[in-house]
Every structure is written in C-alpha cells, then in structure tokens.
Amino acid sequence: MTGPHRVQGIDITALAERFGTPLYVYDADVLRDVFTGLRERLHPAVDVFYSLKANPNVAVCERLGSLGAGAEISSLAELMTVRRAGIAPEDVIFLGPGKTPAELEACVTAGLYAVVCESLDEVAELERLAAAHDVADLPVLLRINPDFRTKGSGLAMSGKPRQFGIDAEVLRRSAGALAGLGRVRVRGFHAYMGTRFLNADDIVHNTREILALSGELAGRLGIDLDTVDFGGGFGVAYFDNEKDLDLATTVDGVNEAVESFLREHPGCRLINELGRYLAAPCGTYVVRALYVKESLGETFVIADGGTNHHMAAVGIGSFVKRNFPIRSLSRPAEDPAHTYTVTGPLCTPNDVVGKKVRLPRVVPGDLIGVERSGAYGPSASPGLFLSHGYPAEVMVHRGTAHLVRERDRAEELLAKQHTVGPDPAPGPAPESGARP
Ligand SMILES: *Cc1c(COP(=O)(O)O)cnc(C)c1O
C-alpha cells in the first residue's frame, strides 16, 4: 500500500482526479513522524518552534501545534495563521529585520512569548509602544549577529555585515542602552546561523558557540538569562550528491551542549527553530504532463505546473542543475528507462523542474511527483507568473484527504485589479472664441 504514488493508502492519481493539478499533497503522518522523531530525542529543556516561512499553510501549523510545536513568525498574516491554527501566543515568537509599526504594535499587544529584536532602535521603540499601550512586561530576545569562529577552518567567520540582528561587538557595549528599560524585559538571545545544514558537526558546533556567546553576553550585560533560541536550519537531502542529516548524532551533540549549558544556567528555556526539516519530507508537488516533445535530441515533458509553484526545484545556487527526487505517479511499477527534461508551462527557459530525469515512459496525461517538497514551495515561488496563481493543497490526515488550500481562480486574481475606465468619447471640437 506504500510507494511514491500512495499517501496513507490513497493513490495520488485519485487525489489529482478529485482536486485537479497542479497540486501539493501533504502526508500528515510523515509530518507527525518527523516532528516526534526529533521531539523524542531532543533534550526536554529544548522546545521546537516551527518557522512558518517554510510552509505557512494553516493545516500544517495546526498539525505541528497539536503535537506541541511553538511557532516562529514574521508577519501579521503569520500571526493570524498561528492563532487560527490554535498555537497559544505564549508559544510564539515574532522575528524579522523589517517589522512595520503595525507589526510592532501587534507584537506589544498579542501576549507573545517574545519579540525577537533585530536592533537596539527596535528595543527602544518597543519600550515606547509598551508604555503607550500600558503593557507592563514585554519579553524580548535580542538577535545576535555572531562573530565566533567556525570549527576546523581556522578562518575567522567574523560577523559578516547583515541586516539581521545586532553585531555581537555592539551588544557587548550596550549595557547602557539596555539599563533604562522599564517595560521591555530581555529574556535572552537568539541566533540563526543559516539554512540547509546537513552536517551534524556543524550544527553541534554552532549550537555550542551560540550558547557560549549567550552566556557571555548575559554575564556582561547583567541579563537574567531565561531563554536562548539557538536557531536551527537543519537540512534535508534533495539532490543525488546529498545525504540526510544524521539526526541521532546531531541531537546527541546538541543535547550534550545543552546539558553543559544548563549546568551554568539551570532552568533556562531553549528553543530550536526549524522550518524545512519539519515540513519538507511530507510534501509532494504533483503535476500533469500536457505534452511530450523532442528538441535537438532532448525529450521534454511539459507539465501544467513548474517553477511558478516550486522555484526551489530549479536548484538553488548551483551552476549544474541538480534535481529533486522526481517520480512517475502514473507508472510507479515501470523501470525508469527514459530520460526527460521536465518543465512547467511558463514562457521562460528557466522553468525547468528536472533536467534529464530518469523516468518510466511518460505520455500526456501522466502524473509526475516532485518529492520532499513540503517546504519553500508556493510561498517561495513566483506564483503570479503568467497569472496562474497558487495551486491547491491537500493534506491526508487519518486516511482522509482534506482540501487545505483552494486553488486560485482567475476571477479572484482579477478581483483585486481595476481598470482606469474608458477615455471619454471623442466629441465635437471644443468651441473656441479665438477661431477666426
Ligand atoms: C528562515 C528562517 C528559519 C527557518 O529556516 P529553515 O532552514 O527552514 O529551518 C528559522 N529562523 C530564521 C531566523 C529564519 O530566517
């Protein structure tokens, strides 16, 4: 009953018939297993927060929230999403270098676990807003732009210029700026070292360094260290040359770092914020082949969806195109004896989902699935290119398929646009007294 073409026993071809294509299909069992697999291994002092950026679908948030995940959000819409998903504000942090006045106001009044401040000016503005809204206690985390060295290389990874966070060097000197705070309460620090880490040693090293730096800064600034968010960025293998993160080794190392940190800071809450690692494995992007054609010796499958919904499949930052795992959902039992370049419908040569992919024979009407696609899909893609809009999203939960996002319809896309109206009809030339 398993295989790439089935989700909890339901054939994806049946889902495509029912909900149409292009389509994202999420398997809630996989989402749960990934979360609990991490949760069960991770030190109990560490809470897992889901970064909505990876997949802001409210059902994905709801499932993760129901399993005990907190949330890391960066916009008013994401705040609304976690509310609707049933995640308590005490388990939500709001982060981002460009918070607008409206977002800051929501941060002050929403009762969040913490606002992650990305500058000292933002701290001062929150202090002012807290007074204006008569909020007596506003917890914040200070985001660090760290300056520690990476292991092994011996090269100083001295803090690169970044729009994110506060340079560690600036923080070391900011006791004065923080001393006058009456309503804003600094609970601790936050640091995020990047995305797509697939090496356990790197993650453990970064975690250790962030914890050490947080301890150092807290001591120097006289902060009663109550929370450290040590980021996340755990990767999943997409391409042939990649291997999945060794979770056991990673978590053992992280737990060890946490354990020794807690000896000096007993009772401190730790946060591990993750997007891709949690969301990617559960998702399959499903497209239907419209045409199969040859050009100068290469065979193309042209599908009804492509990079407009799955930009990541283009292969980020690599010169050589690398492919996500791509399968035939219509002929799962046949040998992958053919080579196809799978493209979407966009009028750009870059709309390539998979270059020279080995697949069983493909004929128009066949369904093709791009696996491990639950993170950074539609929300990180140019969904309005050619005005196709966003695809439908379906979640299979307890053996039942739920439509968790409706496909954009042309009328909806047009509803927000307005013409300026017709030009006035050409009438007789205006009378002019100057006429001879
Ligand atoms: C994007 C982002 C995340 C999520 O990153 P993943 O690699 O998807 O886990 C977490 N924290 C911050 C600050 C981010 O910007």
Side-chain angles (χ1 to χ4, degrees):
M1 287 291 271
T2 55
H5 63 301
R6 286 186 191 275
V7 176
Q8 296 178 28
I10 301 177
D11 206 306
I12 292 181
T13 55
L15 296 175
E17 284 306 321
R18 180 170 159 204
F19 298 103
T21 54
L23 176 71
Y24 271 87
V25 177
Y26 307 127
D27 184 339
D29 281 358
V30 173
L31 187 64
R32 179 201 59 207
D33 291 348
V34 171
F35 180 84
T36 53
L38 173 67
R39 180 61 278 171
E40 282 165 6
R41 284 184 176 86
L42 207 51
H43 195 291
V46 183
D47 284 327
V48 178
F49 276 40
Y50 175 53
S51 300
L52 263 71
K53 184 176 73 183
N55 185 332
N57 185 286
V58 68
V60 172
C61 300
E62 175 204 32
R63 289 294 96 222
L64 288 171
S66 76
L67 294 165
E72 178 254 301
I73 61 171
S74 300
S75 70
L76 292 178
E78 288 188 350
L79 177 57
M80 207 178 278
T81 306
V82 294
R83 279 193 176 127
R84 197 180 293 178
I87 300 178
E90 310 90 79
D91 289 316
V92 175
I93 58 174
F94 197 120
L95 170 153
K99 301 183 193 75
T100 64
E103 285 167 345
L104 287 175
E105 209 157 304
C107 283
V108 168
T109 55
L112 304 179
Y113 181 69
V115 187
V116 181
C117 290
E118 311 245 2
S119 70
L120 292 171
D121 285 348
E122 192 184 319
V123 177
E125 180 59 11
L126 285 172
E127 176 72 20
R128 196 188 68 73
L129 284 171
H133 289 271
D134 203 20
V135 171
D137 178 45
L138 182 63
V140 308
L141 299 176
L142 302 178
R143 180 170 181 178
I144 316 170
N145 178 22
D147 57 0
F148 54 74
R149 285 160 182 268
T150 49
K151 189 178 60 173
S153 74
L155 283 173
M157 253 287 281
S158 51
K160 289 184 188 153
R162 284 283 184 261
Q163 72 268 50
F164 307 112
I166 308 165
D167 292 350
E169 211 27 61
V170 172
L171 274 174
R172 289 193 179 93
R173 290 183 271 108
S174 51
L178 301 174
L181 299 173
R183 293 166 186 269
V184 166
R185 172 168 54 99
V186 179
R187 314 190 86 126
F189 299 95
H190 168 285
Y192 172 73
M193 299 309 298
T195 190
R196 286 199 12 84
F197 285 105
L198 287 171
N199 182 308
D201 287 348
D202 294 344
I203 293 172
V204 174
H205 171 77
N206 288 338
T207 304
R208 205 177 280 130
E209 292 286 341
I210 292 164
L211 293 175
L213 183 54
S214 299
E216 180 219 314
L217 287 168
R220 203 184 276 256
L221 299 172
I223 290 166
D224 193 6
L225 197 57
D226 158 77
T227 306
V228 177
D229 180 337
F230 59 81
F234 295 11
V236 298
Y238 293 128
F239 310 119
D240 287 347
N241 59 339
E242 291 179 334
K243 267 179 63 186
D244 267 330
L245 188 63
D246 179 344
L247 187 68
T249 307
T250 305
V251 175
D252 285 352
V254 167
N255 287 350
E256 223 178 279
V258 164
E259 195 58 54
S260 81
F261 175 79
L262 287 174
R263 278 197 284 276
E264 286 181 40
H265 304 274
C268 190
R269 183 188 201 186
L270 296 158
I271 296 174
N272 185 196
E273 61 185 32
L274 296 167
R276 186 188 317 271
Y277 180 81
L278 297 176
C282 76
T284 303
Y285 179 47
V286 181
V287 295
R288 195 178 287 283
L290 298 172
Y291 302 95
V292 179
K293 76 185 208 189
E294 303 235 342
S295 169
L296 302 177
E298 196 164 330
T299 310
F300 289 84
V301 171
I302 299 161
D304 58 1
T307 57
N308 51 325
H309 303 148
H310 200 339
M311 194 64 185
V314 172
I316 337 115
S318 52
F319 177 68
V320 182
K321 165 87 177 129
R322 296 182 296 180
N323 296 327
F324 268 55
I326 298 175
R327 310 267 180 263
S328 168
L329 303 174
S330 298
R331 301 168 202 282
E334 288 182 26
D335 282 341
H338 303 264
T339 302
Y340 297 103
T341 290
V342 181
T343 80
L346 305 184
C347 301
T348 157
N350 299 328
D351 187 21
V352 174
V353 174
K355 179 98 178 153
K356 297 188 176 163
V357 189
R358 298 293 289 174
L359 288 170
R361 94 198 128 93
V362 176
V363 302
D366 277 7
L367 292 171
I368 292 171
V370 186
E371 298 176 335
R372 310 202 124 195
S373 296
Y376 301 105
S379 67
S381 302
L384 291 178
F385 205 165
L386 294 194
S387 296
H388 283 294
Y390 279 156
E393 297 172 53
V394 165
M395 177 178 281
V396 181
H397 180 48
R398 295 173 181 268
T400 302
H402 302 263
L403 182 62
V404 295
R405 182 184 177 112
E406 292 171 33
R407 177 183 313 287
D408 282 352
R409 290 175 305 130
E411 310 85 79
E412 290 161 350
L413 298 177
L414 263 300
K416 288 192 175 172
Q417 300 180 43
H418 309 283
T419 62
V420 296
D423 286 335
E431 291 296 325
S432 166
R435 198 171 290 190

